[in-house]
């Protein structure tokens, strides 16, 4: 459907063959925002417009990336879904993909699911990108045992109402991350920035996935 784009849906298993050439391929799970759970791809958000899901997947693609994504069902439970993705991650690993070549990228609600994946998997080698997924009085901070693990990039939008840096959140302060980076962009689009396939957040996301994160 898309030029040089491989999209494997999370209902996809068994994974097609072993993770062939896994030393060369990087596997990227993309988790979309909450709006798309209850709306079709051609429905517009009343404020932010269409969620450019397929355009984002296309723009995330690189020669050595395998993109894995699906459109979640309405009112998906973030914790249960995180555990589902971890099973897929472990299956990829068992078929030959090193954990440090697996990344989880999430926008908004998808970013919160990615944080649950980080917490439940407790794997320091996995890479994560949380996009628009850190807010004032964040509910995740209510769990005093919550910790983040892995190599993490957090991307925030300056005009996103109520957004605060992840580095100011209790769950970050309680964590012991060896590899962490935080970026604040300024598109003027408020939370709608993640509805668009924007270079401002996609370019640093791809760079993080492709880096050694040492």
């Amino acid at each position: 459907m898309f030029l040089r784009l491989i999209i494997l849906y999370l209902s996809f298993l068994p994974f097609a063959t072993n993770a062939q050439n896994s030393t060369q391929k990087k596997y990227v799970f993309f988790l979309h925002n909450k709006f798309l759970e209850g709306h079709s791809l051609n429905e517009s958000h009343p404020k932010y417009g269409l969620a450019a899901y397929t355009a984002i997947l296309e723009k995330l693609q690189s020669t050595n990336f395998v993109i894995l994504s699906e459109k979640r069902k309405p009112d998906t439970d973030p914790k249960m879904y995180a555990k589902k993705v971890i099973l897929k991650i472990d299956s990829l690993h068992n078929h030959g993909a090193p954990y440090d070549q697996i990344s989880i990228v999430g926008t908004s609600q998808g970013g919160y699911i990615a944080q649950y994946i980080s917490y439940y998997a407790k794997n320091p080698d996995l890479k994560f990108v949380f996009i628009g997924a850190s807010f004032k009085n964040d509910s995740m901070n209510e769990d005093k045992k919550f910790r983040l693990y892995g190599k993490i990039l957090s991307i925030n939008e300056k005009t996103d109402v109520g957004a605060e840096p992840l580095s100011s959140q209790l769950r970050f302060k309680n964590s012991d991350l060896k590899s962490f980076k935080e970026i604040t962009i300024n598109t003027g689009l408020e939370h709608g920035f993640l509805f668009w396939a924007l270079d401002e957040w996609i370019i640093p996301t791809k760079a993080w996935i492709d880096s050694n994160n040492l």
Side-chain angles (χ1 to χ4, degrees):
M1 181 176 180
F2 304 117
L3 179 63
R4 290 167 52 193
L5 176 63
I6 303 172
I7 305 175
L8 305 177
Y9 291 89
L10 295 183
S11 54
F12 42 20
L13 283 207
F15 281 96
T17 73
N18 289 352
Q20 295 179 359
N21 300 319
S22 60
T23 57
Q24 300 174 2
K25 294 294 184 182
K26 296 180 184 293
Y27 297 86
V28 183
F29 289 81
F30 177 74
L31 309 174
H32 62 70
N33 61 15
K34 174 71 172 179
F35 179 75
L36 278 177
E37 287 185 9
H39 299 83
S40 67
L41 296 180
N42 58 4
E43 288 183 81
S44 292
H45 187 281
K47 183 175 182 179
Y48 304 130
L50 290 174
Y53 177 57
T54 53
I56 289 169
L57 294 178
E58 284 188 287
K59 206 161 190 178
L60 278 173
Q61 178 65 22
S62 288
T63 303
N64 62 331
F65 288 8
V66 178
I67 308 297
L68 304 101
S69 190
E70 74 170 348
K71 187 177 179 298
R72 299 188 302 275
K73 296 179 180 180
D75 299 318
T76 295
D77 183 287
K79 296 179 182 179
M80 294 300 296
Y81 195 83
K83 293 176 180 179
K84 173 183 175 181
V85 176
I86 290 172
L87 291 176
K88 309 305 180 186
I89 291 170
D90 288 341
S91 182
L92 260 181
H93 178 71
N94 292 337
H95 284 79
Y99 281 123
D100 62 5
Q101 292 184 10
I102 300 173
S103 300
I104 301 91
V105 177
T107 59
S108 193
Q109 178 82 333
Y112 281 103
I113 294 172
Q115 290 176 69
Y116 279 118
I117 294 170
S118 171
Y119 175 49
Y120 291 139
K122 294 179 173 54
N123 188 324
D125 294 326
L126 293 174
K127 296 180 183 179
F128 294 90
V129 184
F130 309 144
I131 303 154
S134 179
F135 287 85
K136 186 177 181 180
N137 300 323
D138 209 306
S139 60
M140 278 187 165
N141 291 328
E142 294 176 3
D143 182 354
K144 305 305 181 184
K145 296 181 180 179
F146 197 97
R147 304 287 188 273
L148 294 169
Y149 300 83
K151 303 169 183 179
I152 294 173
L153 169 64
S154 179
I155 302 177
N156 302 300
E157 160 60 38
K158 183 177 181 179
T159 61
D160 196 356
V161 179
E164 289 192 349
L166 180 62
S167 58
S168 70
Q169 299 289 338
L170 181 61
R171 62 184 176 279
F172 172 82
K173 294 176 181 178
N174 286 341
S175 302
D176 183 24
L177 298 174
K178 306 303 182 187
S179 181
F180 175 77
K181 184 176 181 179
E182 194 161 49
I183 297 173
T184 299
I185 62 177
N186 187 10
T187 66
L189 295 173
E190 300 180 1
H191 201 59
F193 83 99
L194 50 79
F195 276 63
W196 296 80
L198 298 177
D199 285 344
E200 285 88 340
W201 65 266
I202 290 181
I203 288 177
T205 293
K206 293 175 73 172
W208 189 257
I209 293 167
D210 229 5
S211 69
N212 291 326
N213 308 113
L214 297 177

